Structures are given as C-alpha cells and as structure tokens.
C-alpha cells in the first residue's frame, strides 16, 4: 500500500484501503495547513506545476500544498508559450521537464494526455484534470469532505444518500466521485438533471451493478432530503455554444428557502467550485453562506490536505513529516479553524 | 498602533503616527534589501500574489519583498484564467484563496474590488491597486521617498513645496499621495496640468481645507522651483482612445536644460514609473539620469522597503525579524547603496 | 578567471580556459541535480527570470537551476503586461528589476536587447536568448554535451567531425555553437541545409579561418558518418509565413534506418529541442528513442548543470557550494542517472 514513485492518474487506481490510507495522511496535514506549525520535509524539492489549460484555483492549490510541505514550485500556464505548440510530443516534454523537477502536477485539455505524459516522466505525475476524462484529486477531496462532514454527525459513507444536481453529463467531478462512491455499501443516489444533461448510462449502470439504489429525475423539488446535496455548474466550455449552455443555466437553483422546505436539517451542501453567482445562474444563493451545512469552502480547505497527502505519499515522506517540524512565528487566525 | 491581521486597503487608514510607524519598520528593512544580511522570519509563509490586472513591476515588487523576508509566493496574472470569468464572486474567490495563503496582495481593474474581496478573506489583504480608486503602497512609498530625500538636505515634509505635473485627473498616484500629504503642515502644492486633465475639485478642496496653499496652472515654465517635482505619465489606458491620450502626451517634458533653468539646485524629481521614454512622450529625458536629484529609482528601491514593512506589520513579525538573521554568502554590490 | 559580478551575454566572452572552468563547476553540480544531495548555498537569493518572449523550457530550466542551488525565483512571461509596452526603456526596467533581485536571466525577442538591459542592471544578467542574436547558455550546454558524449568513447573535441543539419540560416543555436567550436583544433564541419537556408557566409569563413575543414551540401544521405550529428528545427517563427516554412519542413528527417545506413556505430545525435514530431516534420523519428546515442535528453539534463554553474560563478559561490550541503529525504529514482 505504498504510493512511493507512483503516478496518480485516475480514481480507478484506488480501493477502499488505499483511499483510507490517503485520508489518514491528509488528516495529519491539518496542523500544518492551519498554521499551528510548519514542516520543512520537502525543502529543496521542486514541483513542476504544468497547467496547459488555465485553472487558477487548482493550480494555486497544488502549488500551496507543495509549499506547505516546504518545497519550491516552478510552473507554466497555458499552451501558446509551450513547446507543444512547436510540435513537441508529450513524451519529449515529459522527459525534459521531469529531469528538472521532483514531482509534477499537470492539467491539459485533452483526455488521456496526462497518462501519455506520464509514460515519458522520470518522476511521479499527479493528474490535475485531463479534459473531460479524469480529475482524481477533486474526487478524492470530495470524498474526504463527505466522510468528514458525515462523521461530524456520527454517520459514515456506507448507507448514505447523495443527491447530485445539475449538469451531470459534462460534469467530470460527479463522474469521478461516483466511481469512488460505488466502492462503498448501500448508497442511495438521486440524480437530478435536465434530460439532455443526464448522468451517462454507463455510470448509472456501474452504480447499480455495485448494488446501490439510483433515482433519476429532472425535478429538484421533493428530491433533496439527502445527506449530501452535490450541486454543479453548467460546464459552459463543454457546450457547442454559449446559447446552448444558457438553456440550462439557472434551472436548478438552491437557496435557503428551498433548503428549509426540502432538505433535511443537516443536509450537507457541496459544489466543486467555482459556483456561478451571476443572477442568471445563481446555483447556490449567497443566503446559504450563513448555513453551517454549506461545506463548499471546507471542500477547498480539504483539497489542500488531500494534495499534501498525495505529494507526501508519492515522494515517500509521509512517515517523516513531523521530523522536520518548526514553529510558525507569524500571526495567523487559522488555528481556530 | 498595531497592523497585525489588518487589511491595507486605503491611504485613509493612516494618520501621521501610523505612517511614522510603517516608515520606522521600513528603514529597518534596508540591510536586508541591500544584502548585508538576510532574514528567514517568514520562512514557510505563503503570499497569494493575485494580479487580476497585469503589472510586472508592482507584482514583482510585492513578490520580492515577501521573498526577502524568507517567504514563498504563489501568484496569478490576468483575468481570463480565473474563476471570476466563470461567474464566481469576489467573496468566494477570497474564501478559497485565503485558505491557501498567509497574506494576499491583490490588484484588480475594478474600483472597490479589493475591499469587497477583503470581506471574504481569512488573511490580511494588501491593496495593490483597484482601478482608478486606490494604490496605497505606492502612496506610502512616494511619501517615504519624499521624507528621505528631504531629510538628506535637512528638510522635513512640513512646510515643503511640491509641484505635481501631467495627468492629474486620471493619475491615481497623485490622488492618493495628496491625501497623505494633507496630514502634514503648511505645504505648498503647485498643480500643473492641461485644463482637461486637472486635479479633481474635491481633492483640491480637501487640500485647501487642511490649510495648505494650492496653485493651479497649465504652464510648466516658471512653476518648477519646488522641493519636489512629481512628474506623471499620461494614463493612456484610462482614456476613451489612444488618439485622445495622444493630445496630451509630451505636453510637459522635463529635461536637464529645463531643470537648470526653472528648478532649485536640489529639487527632487519623482515619477511613479514607468516613465514613458518614447520620443513623443519623453516625460523625463534620459539626460536627467546623471542628475543626483533624480529619485525615480530610489522610489522603486523604497517600494521594496515599504512593502516588506507592511508584510511584517500585518503578519505581526516586525519585532522579531532580526532573530531570524543569516549571513549572505553570495557576491553582491548592493551593500554600497 | 572569475565571473563574479559579470554578465553572460555572448559566447564571444569565452575562451578555452574559461569554458573549461565553467564545465568543471558544471560537473560538480551533478550530485545535486540527480538528487544524491542538495545545497542551500543560495537560500534567500532571488533570481529575476524575465522572459519577455515566452519559452517554457528555457524559463523553467533557469528557474529550476536556481532552485537547485537553494534560491527563490520571481518571474515574468510575455510582453503585454510589462512596462516596456508603456514606453519604458530597457535601461529603466533594468534599474528597477535589478534592485529587486540578485541575478537576472532574460529572454527578449529583439537582438541586442539583453546587452542593452545589462547596461542598466545592478546585478549580473544571463542572456537567455535575444532574438536571432545570441543564446550563450544553449551553446555552452551543447558544447558540454559534445565533450561528455565524446569522452565516454575516449575522444576529445579536438579533431572531431560534426554534421549540422537543417535550418542553418535562422538556427541561432548552430551559429553560437560554431563560434565556440572554432576555439578547438582540427575539426571537420559538414553543413547540410537547403541552399536557401545555408549557414551564413561569415560564419563559414570564420570557421575556415580558424583552420577547420568545412563541407557544404544540401544532401543528407552519405554525409552523416560524423562523430556528432546536430539536427535542428525549421525556425517557423523567423519565416515570413508558415507556408514558406513548410517548403523546408521535413526535408531532412533522421530515423533509425537512415542512422544504421549512414551514421557511424557511435554517432551521437543532438538537437536543441523541441524536436518537431508532427508527421510533416518528424526531424528525429521516435524510433531513435531506443538508440543509446540519442543524446537530446542528456542535453536538457546538462542544461541544468551549466546554468547552475553560471549562477554559482556570477554570484561567486562556486567554491562554497558543498559547505551548504544537506541530505535529500524524499524518494527519487534519479540517483541512478
């Protein structure tokens, strides 16, 4: 059960045991992320943070996770400046960049590209999203959040009820999360989407074949009494036109009034972020910001922990992090949570 | 008089006492900036350097100031790659990014945006410029430069004479500097601008109401015998068209000949930089580079000191910087100044 | 023979003695680059990595080389966000940015720009490529690779035979490499290019005047039995149009079959990278990846060593690197090569 020197390319690499191992390490990262102390275990190590498709949030999350372990980050954003546009193969890019760094996090618009890149890499590669294909660190942080949120009310993932809402066709995160969730037992899935944006059949079948219960619907009202409501964004960039995306934008809005009427008193609200807060979308109304069950920012916080864990595991330092601990001399209000 | 955990959003947060406190800390930063020694006080801390509007100089200045205190920098440049373009609110971006970093420096094209962002941030936010609104670190470094330059000839800010030249309408820096200067006593302001680009009335009134003397003119010649001449750039990006900006470009050029004829022998020349050295503008001729009173590069140097001071103060380490001192083993010719 | 405080602008600064000095230091960098140990000699130092023309590979190589010595990197990519586009002179940019950093690496599209910049810089400037003019670190890493590859079969540079192939007119790297090679003795150059893309006359003359033997041809077959075959990319960006570049693309392809037929059994294959692997170009076929004499990725590895050496030399720490050595606690498979 070691990830030392391994690539992290797909959720299909994980089973319940390895997931729990990652989560155990992730929990150990909390004191460093909340600045009770810091660690220099990766001082001098270099992360190649290669974002051939821009994504501020994920890029900065990987970079900060590496900094929090003491390492340095070299990075690239976008395609136009890269040798790939001069006809270089992903294999060549990988051979070169991997000789410069100790580990690589990579996002690329093309499905399968990160795995292809990994074939040429001399160091572990973490998939930060390859087009419509995979985004395993997002799925792991979502699952980690579900486990933590349920645990705080004494529940476990086994037996829970999750409602997934919105663009379930193009939403990569709900696909990957579903693949992880089906490793657990006796779940109930309520899949709420416009018919044209329904969850792909093969994913629904895979969930059902793992003996979970699935309800498919295009109605929000009356279908939200779940333990977890996972709201998503219309993936405008995957639609043929903005006009077509607009047909669906704003169809399933969630606000405090709807929450009060249809959710359980402790239903946890999640979202892969960014949430579209423009008036025509308003996926999760700002009036939910005061609802203690809105877990969307805790998801982002958990993303740091999970990415720190994956760096520590692939670089084989998960056991020695505390050997390199130091005090934090600057002011921080993060200790309290 | 502590800035620990505070945002730095506007010059209006400062009074003479707090300004002097910032400047005292800034002066203590000199040996680190000039490489006589270095400090690791912020080793392991992360600056989120968020430039949603590009600005190489200011971005790099904030980043280097943080590095000089021992910290790490994660950054972002431009809008297009950001979640803001997917409809994310500034509040959400702030909640997420502030969970990744220990302090944030931010520039954004929209007035008020940085203050709005700060509402969602869990860590101190330093305004690096929000559109035509505020750029407080620039105003502070300008004032710090004025104090230092005058001190070298035995003068103080109280009682001094400053001439501001050029685009006083759109030039954010002269607005903010004026707000700080009116905290001092018995100043003389000569405001030299084309009528269409004159200093806004409310700023002139505020200066006058603070009992300072103001002369408004559109003539350069004969109005330069001040202690400080603060030249500015035509803010082309704030004009409706380049053609309109061109009407004013190059109207008030300063060179050594004009300096000799109209300035005092020790008039200090300042400019917020970049100076436009294209022949059609030539705001400050290159023949002034040999003039010891040309303070424009000392302004840039002082920017590092002021930004280091603000980081140290907001993170509450201003008292312990020297506890984390180390030797500089590499060659530098900066010791001598 | 000290480079302390010097700029590295051109290959013409070097003679055989200084080249050997750089290479001696570069060889000492191997254990740090291959992660047997690390060094903190430049901890706290700041590299200003200024890429006014984008280049992922070279930018990341400079940045990682500096990180491997323990230093921090602040960087900028592209022109549009820079003050240069607001009319700032290179001198001003240099005065400002050099006050922020300890050493600068710079790429700029305009020939001569880096030398002009260096005039205003207060810290050493390393030329990372100035248009069609110079790219000295590439030439040095190429020469270092040639020396190492030949040494492994008991040869030296003196007396060797090199075939340069492809776009020898616009290919900056072959120009600079030729200037360095002519410092050596009794070389044989075979210059293989379409007539329209032949090596410029003045370079051919300079080689001949240094008593080397030159063969000029536009035929690949029969001209590859050299010690080194240096393949190049059609420099599309230097042609008036893509269509014109396409006339020459793919004219001189090298694959294992051609290698077996025309090369010596130990002919070393080099390329400045990126190699254009698109089917219409295919400069070096992927079937050469298994050929142990394909040195293109060792070139990239050597680039790190040479750039580390130049940083160490210009900052005067080449003698004390091992005083700041630490262990590498994370997993790496680079030790073995």
């Amino acid at each position: 059960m070691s990830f030392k020197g391994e690539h992290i390319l797909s959720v299909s690499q994980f089973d319940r045991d390895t997931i729990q191992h990652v989560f155990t390490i992730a929990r150990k990262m909390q004191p460093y992320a909340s600045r009770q102390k810091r660690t220099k275990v990766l001082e001098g190590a270099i992360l190649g943070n290669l974002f051939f498709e821009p994504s501020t949030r994920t890029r900065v999350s990987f970079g900060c996770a590496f900094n929090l372990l003491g390492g340095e980050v070299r990075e690239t954003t976008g395609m136009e400046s890269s040798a790939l546009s001069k006809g270089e193969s992903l294999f060549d890019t990988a051979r070169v960049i991997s000789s410069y760094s100790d580990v690589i996090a990579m996002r690329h618009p093309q499905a399968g590209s990160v795995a292809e890149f990994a074939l040429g890499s001399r160091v572990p590669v973490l998939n930060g999203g390859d087009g419509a294909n995979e985004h395993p660190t997002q799925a792991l942080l979502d699952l980690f959040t579900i486990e933590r949120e349920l645990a705080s009310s004494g529940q476990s993932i086994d037996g829970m009820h999750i409602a997934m809402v919105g663009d379930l066709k193009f939403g990569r995160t709900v696909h990957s999360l579903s693949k992880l969730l089906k490793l657990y037992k006796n779940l109930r899935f309520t899949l709420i989407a416009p018919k044209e944006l329904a969850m792909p059949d093969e994913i629904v079948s895979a969930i059902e074949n793992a003996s979970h219960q699935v309800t498919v619907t295009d109605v929000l009202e009356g279908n939200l009494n779940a333990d977890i409501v996972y709201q998503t964004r219309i993936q405008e960039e995957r639609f043929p036109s903005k006009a077509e995306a607009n047909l669906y934008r704003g169809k399933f809005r969630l606000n405090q009034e709807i929450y009060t009427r249809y959710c359980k008193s402790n239903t946890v609200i999640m979202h892969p972020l960014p949430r579209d807060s423009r008036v025509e979308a308003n996926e999760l109304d700002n009036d939910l910001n005061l609802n203690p069950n809105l877990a969307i920012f805790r998801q982002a916080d958990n993303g740091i922990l999970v990415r720190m864990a994956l760096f520590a595991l692939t670089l084989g330092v998960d056991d020695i992090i505390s050997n390199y601990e130091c005090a934090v001399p600057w002011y921080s209000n993060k200790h309290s949570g």
Side-chain angles (χ1 to χ4, degrees), chain A residues 112-128:
Chain A
S113 57
V114 180
E116 189 185 336
F117 179 95
L119 291 174
S121 175
R122 302 168 63 189
V123 301
V125 175
L126 276 59
N127 186 352

Side-chain angles (χ1 to χ4, degrees), chain A residues 46-113:
Chain A
I46 300 173
L47 165 65
N49 207 20
L50 308 181
F51 274 66
F52 295 113
E53 181 182 59
S55 164
T56 299
R57 177 187 317 276
T58 308
R59 178 174 60 81
V60 174
S61 176
F62 273 111
C64 288
F66 206 71
N67 284 158
L68 286 168
L69 291 166
E72 292 292 328
V73 181
R74 303 267 47 82
E75 60 193 353
T76 190
T77 312
M79 275 297 247
E80 62 307 321
S81 69
S82 98
L84 297 171
S85 66
K86 294 180 182 165
E88 184 171 69
S89 68
L90 283 165
F91 178 88
D92 279 17
T93 306
R95 277 295 280 103
V96 171
I97 301 283
S98 67
S99 102
Y100 300 169
S101 53
D102 294 287
V103 59
I104 285 171
M106 176 172 168
R107 170 169 289 196
H108 191 286
Q110 188 186 321
S113 57

Side-chain angles (χ1 to χ4, degrees), chain A residues 7-197:
Chain A
H7 305 304
I8 306 292
L9 300 174
S10 164
V11 291
S12 60
Q13 291 172 256
F14 294 89
D15 58 23
R16 283 187 70 156
D17 281 350
T18 50
I19 288 169
Q20 284 312 313
H21 188 46
V22 173
F23 289 0
T24 301
I25 306 299
R27 276 187 295 268
K28 286 190 186 163
M29 298 301 179
Q30 185 71 69
Y32 307 110
S34 58
R35 294 318 203 170
Q36 285 146 45
K37 49 190 182 182
R38 63 190 189 85
T39 178
K40 300 166 71 166
V41 68
L42 291 185
E43 192 185 54
I46 300 173
L47 165 65
N49 207 20
L50 308 181
F51 274 66
F52 295 113
E53 181 182 59
S55 164
T56 299
R57 177 187 317 276
T58 308
R59 178 174 60 81
V60 174
S61 176
F62 273 111
C64 288
F66 206 71
N67 284 158
L68 286 168
L69 291 166
E72 292 292 328
V73 181
R74 303 267 47 82
E75 60 193 353
T76 190
T77 312
M79 275 297 247
E80 62 307 321
S81 69
S82 98
L84 297 171
S85 66
K86 294 180 182 165
E88 184 171 69
S89 68
L90 283 165
F91 178 88
D92 279 17
T93 306
R95 277 295 280 103
V96 171
I97 301 283
S98 67
S99 102
Y100 300 169
S101 53
D102 294 287
V103 59
I104 285 171
M106 176 172 168
R107 170 169 289 196
H108 191 286
Q110 188 186 321
S113 57
V114 180
E116 189 185 336
F117 179 95
L119 291 174
S121 175
R122 302 168 63 189
V123 301
V125 175
L126 276 59
N127 186 352
D130 58 327
N133 186 35
E134 285 261 11
H135 188 7
T137 63
Q138 176 74 43
L140 286 167
L141 78 86
D142 283 341
L143 188 64
F144 184 64
T145 302
I146 291 171
E147 188 182 80
R148 280 193 140 186
E149 297 287 326
L150 294 181
S152 74
S153 58
Q155 282 183 274
S156 72
I157 299 179
D158 288 326
M160 71 125 180
H161 176 195
I162 184 169
M164 293 174 166
V165 182
D167 177 358
L168 305 186
K169 182 179 176 192
F170 293 113
R172 177 176 58 185
T173 57
V174 286
H175 302 175
S176 295
L177 179 57
S178 298
K179 287 180 196 165
L180 288 181
L181 283 173
K182 69 179 164 55
L183 301 172
Y184 291 78
K185 289 190 180 135
N186 303 319
L187 304 198
R188 230 179 106 194
F189 288 79
T190 302
L191 305 176
I192 307 171
K195 286 193 177 59
E196 300 81 1
L197 300 181

